[in-house]
Amino acid sequence: MKVAVIGTGYVGLVLGACLADTGNDVVCADLDAAKIDGLQRNILPIFEPGLDVIVARNQRSERLSFTTDVASAVQHAQFVFIAVGTPADEDGSADLRYVLAAAETIAKSAEDEVVVVTKSTVPVGTAERIRAVLQEHARVPFHVCSNPEFLKEGAAVDDFTHPDRVIVGTDSQRARELMEELYEPYVRSGKPLIFMDLASAELTKYAANAMLATRISFMNEMALMCERTGANVDLVRLGIGSDPRIGPSFLLPGPGYGGSCFPKDVQALLLSGQTRQVPLRILDAVHVSNEHQKGRAAEKLRFLLGGSLQGKRIAVWGLAFKAQTDDMRESPSLSLIDAVHADGGTVVAHDPESRREATRRLGTTVELVTSAYAACADADALVLMTDWNEYRSPDWKRVRAALKAPIVVDMRNLYSPSRMRGLGFTYDSVGRPG
């Protein structure tokens, strides 16, 4: 089948590459000429395990191509996926200018019947706005779908090829039949392909992310309760996660959620509720709680370092918002860095994959080093912010020798408190007795 994808960011690139890998003819279009030039040479703008292999294989097989000519890409496509960015406006609402511009280009360029599929995360009602643009400009029959993505950064390829479910919103029987054919290779194992109306599909994406963000914030608050009562969050998590009504997923406490989805989508859903006079009080509390949690690493450091970070050199392990990605958007590490700088301290940081992104975001305000141990040299304390595998079993003797003082703040609970004490460290984690 002939597929065009508008937007070669995280969502569009994974989508296009994986669809090509099952035999479809896919063209990914983007106005960013530098990005397209890199992709044509198999240089990816993001780090995602396994994606580079799929892109290279399908370009070699001529099933996948990249272009800056969006109009040409959509001209004879059976499906056009809109996977452009929806950045937050100043008020937190989703900015739809790129989505609607893509819809207009499709309408003016398509020369055959086309299924227009929104893959970007968009608020309820966007599909109808896209339909209005298509009705104004299109010269061929069209069908509108909402097909939200549920990809985890760091596991996106597996999530796409082995989905828990596929959600498709449409009011067109023809679009339903075509989407069933397109997704058939991915749901052969019996995972559901769920069809629903457009508004429900759009809201499902926001509701899923909001629920997961709520679980994270809830456990972070329970971790704080553990710290104040002497309880152990690991045991509390095991106890509640064993209840099948709750389950164990997304119950790990940490430095707060970040990334491209949860912060933006919670805010967008809050704004969407406000415009419809639906006060989403739980989600408002989730957002406030998460912002507080992002400040906990700095609070712990201040306590361990005598109340102030003035003049202190802080080593940070991990800049990405989670492991297996180079994405630093809304990363808790940025909140920690801002707090250290505000107190008059300095930061030296290491991350296995985010060096390029960190340089772009932070410039020379943070010293970036090429090894985890180099970050510890003459530092007053070490803070673990991202649970990369290479941080799981470090040479603690080497770490202690490099640090000015043996102080470790573990915001991912990777290490055993008793072992760290036995090794001579002053150690603090999230919700566990020290």
Side-chain angles (χ1 to χ4, degrees):
M1 307 182 84
K2 292 187 179 298
V3 179
V5 179
I6 303 178
T8 58
Y10 182 82
V11 173
L13 189 54
V14 173
L15 167 71
C18 290
L19 287 177
D21 212 36
T22 51
N24 297 291
D25 181 3
V26 181
V27 180
C28 292
D30 198 296
L31 296 178
D32 187 332
K35 184 187 291 186
I36 292 299
D37 178 65
L39 286 166
Q40 288 171 342
R41 294 181 289 122
N42 295 317
I43 300 173
L44 275 59
I46 60 171
F47 171 73
E48 181 62 37
L51 184 59
D52 54 346
V53 176
I54 297 175
V55 169
R57 178 171 63 235
N58 284 281
Q59 283 207 93
R60 190 167 56 247
S61 300
E62 298 184 349
R63 290 188 298 266
L64 178 64
S65 61
F66 299 95
T67 182
T68 56
D69 189 345
V70 181
S72 175
V74 307
Q75 192 172 13
H76 296 293
Q78 295 167 273
F79 301 87
V80 180
F81 285 85
I82 299 175
V84 297
T86 53
D89 271 338
E90 291 183 5
D91 64 356
S93 61
D95 183 348
L96 297 178
R97 75 181 81 174
Y98 305 114
V99 171
L100 298 177
E104 184 172 344
T105 299
I106 296 166
K108 292 179 176 179
S109 306
E111 296 186 4
D112 300 309
E113 180 181 18
V114 62
V115 179
V116 180
V117 188
T118 308
K119 201 68 178 174
S120 305
T121 300
V122 294
V124 176
T126 302
E128 295 307 324
R129 294 181 66 179
I130 290 172
R131 191 197 305 275
V133 171
L134 294 169
Q135 286 174 335
E136 181 178 356
H137 299 288
R139 298 164 296 170
V140 297
F142 62 84
H143 311 271
V144 178
C145 288
S146 172
N147 176 216
E149 56 86 14
F150 298 98
L151 307 178
K152 298 185 296 294
E153 293 191 40
V157 171
D158 189 62
D159 284 346
F160 190 93
T161 55
H162 301 89
D164 294 320
R165 79 290 199 200
V166 176
I167 303 292
V168 176
T170 188
D171 54 12
S172 163
Q173 181 60 32
R174 175 62 176 159
R176 175 174 178 146
E177 293 168 357
L178 291 169
M179 291 293 281
E180 281 182 331
E181 183 178 353
L182 185 67
Y183 274 108
E184 193 274 335
Y186 308 105
V187 295
R188 286 177 175 170
S189 63
K191 297 298 184 180
L193 175 55
I194 304 172
F195 287 94
M196 57 183 68
D197 61 274
L198 288 159
S200 295
E202 290 171 333
L203 186 55
T204 294
K205 169 63 175 179
Y206 278 112
N209 280 353
M211 174 62 79
L212 296 175
T214 300
R215 286 174 70 100
I216 292 170
S217 289
F218 175 81
M219 282 310 298
N220 283 334
E221 292 195 347
M222 291 302 100
L224 182 56
M225 279 294 294
C226 288
E227 292 178 14
R228 301 293 167 83
T229 61
N232 187 327
V233 73
D234 286 346
L235 300 178
V236 173
R237 178 171 58 87
L238 177 63
I240 66 174
S242 299
D243 186 329
R245 296 169 299 176
I246 299 173
S249 298
F250 280 79
L251 294 184
L252 286 170
Y257 59 75
S260 62
C261 294
F262 288 2
K264 177 173 69 71
D265 292 354
V266 167
Q267 283 292 89
L269 187 53
L270 282 167
L271 264 294
S272 184
Q274 288 178 18
T275 60
R276 292 168 173 81
Q277 290 75 54
V278 180
L280 302 176
R281 298 181 180 89
I282 292 175
L283 287 189
D284 188 48
V286 166
H287 170 69
V288 171
S289 175
N290 191 64
E291 290 303 299
H292 176 263
Q293 189 67 17
K294 286 183 175 182
R296 293 279 289 139
E299 290 177 7
K300 289 175 178 290
L301 278 174
R302 292 189 189 102
F303 177 79
L304 295 173
L305 292 171
S308 172
L309 304 180
Q310 175 73 36
K312 302 298 184 181
R313 179 178 171 89
I314 305 302
V316 175
W317 281 1
L319 295 171
F321 84 96
K322 61 178 286 189
Q324 302 303 316
T325 181
D326 60 352
D327 195 344
M328 290 178 59
R329 285 174 287 184
E330 300 287 339
S331 176
S333 67
L334 298 176
S335 297
L336 171 61
I337 291 167
D338 287 344
V340 174
H341 287 164
D343 276 16
T346 59
V347 173
V348 55
H350 173 264
D351 188 284
E353 294 293 341
S354 294
R355 187 178 180 87
R356 180 176 63 180
E357 179 65 10
T359 300
R360 186 184 71 81
R361 285 181 173 272
L362 303 171
T364 59
T365 62
V366 169
E367 182 183 345
L368 301 173
V369 293
T370 57
S371 82
Y373 298 111
C376 298
D378 295 320
D380 294 281
L382 166 64
V383 187
L384 175 82
M385 293 297 290
T386 313
D387 51 346
W388 286 98
N389 282 340
E390 72 175 73
Y391 301 149
R392 291 179 181 269
S393 299
D395 182 341
W396 287 116
K397 289 183 180 179
R398 189 174 173 185
V399 171
R400 185 173 178 182
L403 291 170
K404 281 185 184 177
I407 297 173
V408 175
V409 175
D410 176 6
M411 295 303 295
R412 295 289 181 171
N413 289 0
L414 282 193
Y415 313 123
S416 162
S418 61
R419 180 166 185 264
M420 294 299 287
R421 286 195 304 271
L423 291 169
F425 285 93
T426 298
Y427 174 79
D428 194 7
S429 56
V430 185
R432 302 186 299 177

